[in-house]
Amino acid sequence: MRKEHYIPNATYEHENEPEVLYENGFPINLSKPGQTKAGFARRDFLKGVGVMVVGFGVAGSTAKITGGSTVEAAGMTGAAGTGVEAATALADPPIDQVDSYLVVGQDGGVTILTSLVDLGQGISQQYIQWVAEEMEVSMARIRVILGDTGLVANDGGMFGSRATNLSGAKFRRAAAAAKAKLLELAGERFGVSPSDLTVHDGVVSVKTEATKSVSYAELIAGKRFDVEIPSNFEGTKPWQEYKIIGQPISRVDIPVKLTGEEEYVHDVRLPGMLYGRAIRPRGQSLYQHSVLLDVDESSVADVKGLVKIVAAGHLGGVQGLGGQFNFVGVICEREEQAVEAASKLKVTWAEPPEIPADLYQHLLAVGRTTSTRQNGDLEAALAIADKVLEATYTFPFQAHASMGSVAAVGDVKLDSDGKVVSAQAWSSTQATHTLRNNVRLALGIPADETADKVRVLWRWGAGSYGSNNGNPIVGVDAAVMSAAVGRPVKVQWFREDTHGWESYGPIHLFKIKAGLDASGNVIAYEFDSWGATANNNSSGERYKFGRGSATFRVMGGNPTGGTFFLTAPLRAPSQPATTFASESFIDEMAAAVSADPVQFRLRHLDPADPAQARGMDVIAAAAERFGWDTRPSPNPAHVANRSGVVRGRGIAYGPRSQAYVATVMEVEVDQATGAVRPIRAVVAHDIGLIVNPESLRQQIEGQVAQTTSRALWEEIKHDGRRVSTLDWLSYPYLKMTEFPRVESVLINRPELGTGSGAGEAATVSIVGAVANAIFDATGARLRQAPFTPERVLEALNAR
Amino acid sequence: MSVISLKVNGRTYPVDVDPETPLLYILRNDLNLNGPKFGCGLGQCGACTVIVEGEAIRSCITAVALVGGFEITTLEGLGSTAKMHPIQQAFLDNHAAQCGYCINGFIMQAKAFVDANPSPTFEQIAESLVGNLCRCGTHQRILAAIQQYTGGAA
Ligand code: FES
Ligand code: FES
């Protein structure tokens, strides 16, 4: 950040906000009338007094939810009397304390605080269900504060479907520990043992003497639990007693999203707020090459309302951050003025290097082995094989492509020397604390002042499906622009930047080779994988291949600049790719020995292995619900029929850590045009314990839809220098008439006690299932995703 | 700049802006409405849809001067959580939102379509929504919600 960008004497000031009192850095619960909109405290700690002065005016509305429950986006206080004004401290709250996650207010309401935010999958509903279940408090009195770094403990970002495993389990243990503590306190009060007590909606009574009762609020409001979160589940409810877990309860966040009452990050409006647009080269190239050469300020001389032009990161990027943070910002009084300025401003960027035309060849050329797992003697097994098969599959760069162009609001306050006093950023990032650190870096704030000076306030955004859909970058853009003018600035990216400057799911190339014996069993298996990603994975090991030998050689390609384009995990990172390859290949093997694809898979799974047994269950369940007729693919009835529209069905099995999923997909293929029309998808899904089956179905349906689109259409393309797929026409998404009907078969295993996350698992098997369905319909094998009409025609012609 | 009289959700607002300004910015920034959303700014996704004189239009590519004096309805004009419009209720009954960013567009597009075509078939409903995108893949529930709203089988 160059100093001359600051306007030292900012005229804008926040409204005064009421004070919140703190004791030992923890809020004293307040329920003063009229204090319904108290801003949360920043860490302006008045030494010696133990009082923090509120420094932030946070606009916001309380979301009333069906059932009377209240979910709030972070940073907003709720109705008077909830008594939870803030839970902030100079340092982040400790991650092992009940107090960091659960606060009981004066009215007995419970507030859940977490850094694991909701991406639209409805995870906050799950948090509420766990806490209601374990604490015995009605859901209507539970609210959630998500991702306000001024309030929540830093459990890291929300990715990898870890909310269920991490936060769900944590809240469950924390809530059980909180309840135990409350029973202990009530027991002391009545002189009885906790086992003589019973709880109903936050009121503890003596079992034998109902008149003796006390509310949670009376016991704990204004005080701390001072209890560590247990490391095990001892003391949590046995699953047989669940009343709320497992119920299809309507998501609390939905109603306000249907009426315009929800405040998304795009809707945050602060007094005196300006509008910024960030200008980047049109489409990314090798990202470190976004070198700014010149900004011709005269080109926008006639734009009204122009407040400032900010050139951030001339060479090295915004301080300490990568080249994707380089941008030129225009800040205007009104949004349309910022749009006009951004389109008129003449900015010259250095010509980027050429992008190899064939990225897959490039990947092979620069690929290097990163890890190898091998057992047995592959060559020996191949030598005695009756049949040897080989195939190569490719999978392109794909985009998260959020529906909303990403946006953020920055509010940086400067002193009279232009030094940063405080910085706030409103963002729908998945990783609020990472953004907090990046804002700190961009503004040159010392590391030890991070928690004191920088605050990220999460707000709902458009679904992100992975950690970098552009949100982490636009958050910094907004902070940098705000710092340049000392006023709040809202920045929204153009669609071309949301498509062009996010971090893509990486490309992959796979070579698979296998040997089968005379009875059609796989005795040798080799799976080589290249990908523009560090966390390449193999997926062939899910079967008990290799009665003789099996080899998995996993390779990771590292092209120039690490990953060539910006890459980041995209929903079930790389697994739709690896599973497309491995599940297509197992289909090829089945076809080579004229075996039914379902039977062939089941034959190669071991019922004695608990994981493989669960795999067998979902494969069988999907086939049964679909009405699978046992026969080899392609459909013998179609073999002579090489024209017209034909239907086929394909299966793919796609486990993901502790989630087991199989999908049967039915498609129609027009053999004249190569057009593929998905008809129906049956997904059998086992994640262990199901917390909310309705939310789960919704997640499955969404993943089938999104991934079917990825299978058929989605591919990041470039023009030789830069990414050229910059909107919904060049990067098409399935239309309303083109989605398959989805049927979910849910397998619940409450006895396992825990469930895996469900926001990604159903993604894994879809691409493979589509490819196998096309093969079943036509006998054409698609080995390159996406399966556009041209590629399908090509494969049809190769039959 | 010129003063344009905007009739939104039954109220009239004089706005003094460049007449070329997309309606969306006025609704969001001057009238503080959250319903219509900026998705693409290119007329490709439908997130910004509002109803003007009964017709669903893309407010991101509609100059404000074009709609001066016309009745404009936004999502907020249909109902609120306190009193939902039946189409909003149908979306709620079917859990037809994930992130919800696209939902404004679907509700407004469908509302205008069903007003003009009270008993559409399932295929007609889907066809009427081909210009609206939902990246979360809430399609099935959106279609079920609209079917419920039109009195068809959900
Ligand atoms: S925002 Fe208007 S159509 Fe996408
Ligand atoms: S619900 Fe997220 S885009 Fe439709």
Side-chain angles (χ1 to χ4, degrees), chain A residues 403 462-463 465, chain B residues 97-103 106 133-138 142:
Chain A
M403 274 303 294
Y465 326 110
Chain B
Q98 294 184 51
C99 77
Y101 201 86
C102 65
I103 293 297
F106 281 98
L133 306 180
C134 171
R135 186 64 167 159
C136 292
T138 316
I142 291 170

Side-chain angles (χ1 to χ4, degrees), chain A residues 40 61-66 68-79 82 84-87 100-105 107 109-132 135 137-149 151-153 155 158 163 167-168 171 250-254 256 262-263 457-460:
Chain A
F40 280 115
S61 59
T62 300
K64 272 317 254 185
I65 310 292
T66 317
S69 182
T70 304
V71 158
E72 297 202 2
M76 296 184 283
T77 52
T82 50
V84 183
E85 304 302 340
S100 303
Y101 300 92
L102 296 171
V103 180
V104 176
D107 65 350
V110 179
T111 297
I112 299 170
L113 301 111
T114 178
S115 68
L116 274 79
V117 299
D118 199 321
L119 317 179
Q121 82 276 44
I123 196 71
S124 25
Q125 177 61 41
Q126 191 175 126
Y127 300 159
I128 290 171
Q129 285 181 235
W130 274 122
V131 171
M135 278 187 86
V137 174
S138 67
M139 287 187 286
R141 298 208 285 148
I142 298 174
R143 59 177 204 150
V144 185
I145 290 179
L146 297 171
D148 178 343
T149 64
L151 300 177
V152 305
D155 270 318
M158 173 64 218
S167 282
F171 290 140
S250 188
R251 276 172 51 179
V252 289
D253 58 299
I254 291 180
V256 283
E262 181 57 75
E263 186 191 58
L457 296 113
W458 180 85
R459 287 289 185 277
W460 286 97

Side-chain angles (χ1 to χ4, degrees), chain A residues 326-341:
Chain A
N326 292 0
F327 71 96
V328 177
V330 288
I331 305 164
C332 294
E333 295 288 345
R334 294 184 56 86
E335 187 164 18
E336 63 272 18
Q337 294 164 342
V339 171
E340 185 191 349

